Amino acid sequence: MDKLKTIKIFDTTLRDGEQSPGASMNIEEKLRIASQLEKLNVDVIEAGFPIASDGDFESVKKIAQMIKGPEIAGLCRASVMDIDRAWEALKYAGERGRIHTFIATSDIHMERKLQMSPAKVLETAVKAVKHAAAYTANVEFSCEDAVRTRLDFLAEMVEAVIDAGATTVNIPDTVGYAIPFEFFNIIKHLKDNVPNIEKAVLSVHCHNDLGLAVANSLAAIQAGAGQVECTINGIGERAGNCSLEEVVMALRTRRDILPYENNIKTEHIYAASRLLSTITGIVVQPNKAIVGANAFAHEAGIHQHGVMMDKETYEIMTPESIGLNTNKLVLGKHSGRHAFVARLNELGYDLPKQDVEKAFVRFKSLADRKKEIFDEDLDAIVADEIIRVPETVKLKQMNVSSGSFVAPTATVELEIKGKLKRTAIIGDGPVDATFKAIKKLTGLQPRLVNFSIGSITGGTDALGECTVRLEYEGHEVIGQGAHSDIIVASAKAYINAINKALDFSQRTKVRI
Ligand code: KIV
Ligand code: ZN
């Protein structure tokens, strides 16, 4: 039998994914995601946009230094300055360093955004690719807004950048406008009409504005694309990007009509999804394909009966294939350090010794109060104790009185840059009073965009988990907090968001 074509999986969680509102990550968080992507065995990690900020530069450089398997890409506009800066960070990955340069090619972008003629855009692209190719043979070029680009100009551009040295050419659906049949035809047209097309890998990068990013990516593969760009949980600008887990599991589950290979170790998908949502605070919707809480739950009696008789009646893939252990009860009061660490590793957390110690102490104290500890509790412990931005503001203690006969009052003590401050304040409810007290003590006035609270597992002894989305100086940040008292969880989440906002405002960003 002929060997199947291998589709490269290019993960852009750390670049396009980070452009999701509230998803900004610090270097340590990006490194954690990158090492999970390494376990997943993605072919390329797009680690960031090095010229965008010093923080982006440092994280691309660190990832290029630390991650050994996948290629490491850095995004840059089609300018010499951007490319030089990107290579300064990427060179640490040697031959695995990929310069990814782009310019818009649609009439609307060229006329209204770039204010450049098509000829000038073509010349700029070719110059950029040649400049990048002088550093490395691993050069990717993207025609931004390719789907709304005139097909003859797109073909001309693709041919020119391949001649200039691009080894991968990417066709993004930047605004998520295409439908599958149309996108298939665009890719097919390039395959059939660009004379040097076989000298480069043809890549696709689909946004999800119409909910079609995965469908479009699969159509493109059928038309001859050799690389798919995607993100964990489908996070990304606006409605997000093509979701890695969906496109990979579609390829795996429907190999009968999609006869292609890929290198992904799918048993690490679930851990990657959890890690990302723990770090960013962006919750996965329960009905999300593959990684949503309900993706493998069979509620209806008729389905349960069928699954009991033969799993394949209603299950097209197994939970184990994505690393989801259906036996969710994990640890209890008597579990030792060994079992605790083993379970953390299974969940994708590879923590240094001092972090394991911190998490273990927290686990023991929770196990004293709660009979059964589930995976979700461990996620919350890791998020709360380990994955932290610099704590400019720390919660020292708090007390809240509320009820039907008293005015809700919060007394809060914070440590702000090493100094203790305390206040008591009345609010419309216990959470409102708590947030008002924190605002008064910090002197900050962020806008509360969203507040949600839930229990991590069942039972009245469950940990309460709170997520707070704040807008501060034009950026959105997400904070999380977990505690068995939901008001304390809310305070922790609010303070976590404030610390992220303060951390973020120190890193000025250029956005594309
Ligand atoms: O959506 C897009 O066009 C992009 C490019 C920069 C690849 O993200
Ligand atoms: Zn994009």
Side-chain angles (χ1 to χ4, degrees):
M1 214 174 81
D2 285 350
K3 198 173 167 310
L4 297 182
K5 175 174 173 182
T6 300
I7 306 299
K8 283 191 169 202
I9 302 296
F10 175 115
D11 181 277
T12 181
T13 305
L14 297 176
R15 199 277 298 168
D16 223 341
E18 210 215 3
Q19 291 177 210
S20 294
S24 68
M25 297 171 240
N26 63 26
I27 297 185
E28 198 200 325
E29 292 168 338
K30 286 187 178 178
L31 266 171
R32 283 182 200 275
I33 300 282
S35 52
Q36 184 62 26
L37 293 172
E38 189 180 21
K39 279 194 196 152
L40 258 181
N41 206 27
V42 301
D43 298 281
V44 187
I45 295 175
E46 186 161 52
F49 186 14
I51 205 158
S53 71
D54 290 346
D56 259 38
F57 177 86
E58 281 308 319
S59 42
V60 175
K61 180 175 159 187
K62 270 257 156 55
I63 291 170
Q65 285 169 331
M66 313 276 291
I67 301 295
K68 296 296 171 222
E71 291 174 34
I72 310 297
L75 186 68
C76 40
R77 289 167 295 197
S79 92
V80 166
M81 206 171 67
D82 277 36
I83 293 168
D84 290 346
R85 186 76 174 143
W87 186 249
E88 239 179 282
L90 292 167
K91 64 183 178 199
Y92 297 93
E95 284 176 3
R96 290 179 301 108
R98 175 182 293 198
I99 298 177
H100 177 191
T101 182
F102 75 98
I103 194 164
T105 51
S106 62
D107 285 343
I108 180 168
H109 276 236
M110 291 191 295
E111 274 165 29
R112 310 231 186 117
K113 182 179 82 172
L114 300 174
Q115 295 176 339
M116 283 163 81
S117 66
K120 186 73 193 160
V121 168
L122 193 109
E123 184 194 318
T124 308
V126 166
K127 193 173 149 210
V129 170
K130 283 190 175 158
H131 188 69
Y135 285 124
T136 171
N138 196 347
V139 178
E140 172 165 338
F141 176 80
S142 284
C143 312
E144 192 189 9
D145 204 19
V147 164
R148 294 191 297 171
T149 298
R150 278 179 291 108
L151 215 43
D152 53 346
F153 183 58
L154 188 63
E156 193 186 338
M157 178 64 95
V158 171
E159 183 180 351
V161 293
I162 295 174
D163 272 345
T167 40
T168 303
V169 180
N170 186 33
I171 307 299
D173 184 10
T174 305
V175 291
Y177 183 68
I179 61 163
F181 180 64
E182 177 190 22
F183 201 49
F184 177 97
N185 283 335
I186 293 173
I187 300 302
K188 181 96 175 53
H189 179 88
L190 296 174
K191 277 285 197 192
D192 292 345
N193 292 286
V194 174
N196 56 2
I197 197 75
E198 295 309 325
K199 289 193 183 154
V201 174
L202 198 53
S203 169
V204 290
H205 173 114
C206 297
H207 280 269
N208 204 29
D209 299 66
L210 294 173
L212 293 170
V214 173
N216 286 337
S217 304
L218 293 174
I221 290 172
Q222 290 183 298
Q227 173 177 285
V228 170
E229 304 198 355
C230 45
T231 60
I232 304 293
N233 295 342
I235 68 164
E237 283 268 59
R238 305 180 311 276
N241 287 59
C242 170
S243 131
L244 180 146
E245 59 278 6
E246 291 177 24
V247 79
V248 165
M249 290 311 285
L251 286 171
R252 178 178 161 142
T253 307
R254 296 311 310 275
R255 193 162 288 174
D256 53 335
I257 54 156
L258 294 165
Y260 309 97
E261 299 275 11
N262 65 76
N263 295 320
I264 297 298
K265 296 188 173 151
T266 61
E267 65 277 16
H268 295 292
I269 282 180
Y270 192 61
S273 163
R274 299 164 73 101
L275 182 67
L276 181 69
S277 78
T278 303
I279 285 178
T280 58
I282 300 177
V283 183
V284 173
Q285 77 199 52
N287 59 325
K288 163 90 172 62
I290 318 296
V291 289
N294 298 344
F296 291 95
H298 296 273
E299 278 286 342
I302 192 163
H303 286 199
Q304 281 179 355
H305 178 68
V307 170
M308 267 171 351
M309 304 295 282
D310 180 345
K311 281 189 168 186
E312 283 183 25
T313 48
Y314 287 99
E315 225 174 60
I316 58 167
M317 54 200 156
T318 65
E320 292 77 20
S321 64
I322 61 154
L324 172 61
N325 185 347
T326 41
N327 175 14
K328 289 177 98 188
L329 174 60
V330 281
L331 302 167
K333 192 173 165 153
H334 302 293
S335 309
R337 194 181 309 258
H338 188 74
F340 175 72
V341 174
R343 190 62 198 165
L344 283 182
N345 288 345
E346 275 165 23
L347 292 175
Y349 300 115
D350 199 359
L351 304 179
K353 215 169 158 214
Q354 72 274 19
D355 286 353
V356 168
E357 281 317 305
K358 274 203 252 169
F360 189 64
V361 170
R362 180 78 185 267
F363 158 71
K364 279 290 179 192
S365 113
L366 181 65
D368 275 341
R369 282 175 286 131
K370 192 171 185 286
K371 226 168 59 208
E372 297 162 330
I373 307 285
F374 295 86
D375 290 348
E376 289 84 348
D377 295 314
L378 297 183
D379 283 336
I381 289 175
V382 172
D384 214 39
E385 285 294 321
I386 315 295
I387 299 173
R388 286 249 159 250
V389 281
E391 285 193 295
T392 316
V393 181
K394 279 188 201 157
L395 178 66
K396 295 309 281 184
Q397 48 183 333
M398 62 179 288
N399 182 52
V400 175
S401 59
S402 68
S404 48
F405 293 113
V406 286
T409 309
T411 307
V412 177
E413 186 176 271
L414 301 180
E415 186 186 308
I416 304 174
K417 291 188 186 157
K419 276 202 182 139
L420 286 183
K421 286 186 169 186
R422 177 197 281 235
T423 194
I425 210 160
I426 292 176
D428 284 338
V431 173
D432 183 54
T434 304
F435 290 180
K436 275 188 176 147
I438 297 169
K439 282 205 271 191
K440 187 171 165 203
L441 290 173
T442 57
L444 302 175
Q445 292 297 328
R447 188 173 72 85
L448 181 64
V449 179
N450 201 294
F451 167 75
S452 68
I453 198 143
S455 84
I456 290 175
T457 52
T460 49
D461 61 352
L463 275 182
E465 185 178 47
C466 178
T467 304
V468 163
R469 188 187 280 256
L470 299 182
E471 192 199 300
Y472 181 68
E473 292 185 343
H475 292 292
E476 283 194 6
V477 282
I478 292 177
Q480 289 174 301
H483 198 273
S484 43
D485 179 318
I486 53 170
I487 309 298
V488 178
S490 310
K492 288 178 126 196
Y494 198 86
I495 291 170
N496 181 229
I498 282 189
N499 281 323
K500 281 191 180 171
L502 292 173
D503 185 45
F504 190 81
S505 66
Q506 284 160 24
R507 307 180 267 137
T508 28
K509 281 248 170 195
V510 178
R511 296 258 163 205
I512 54 166

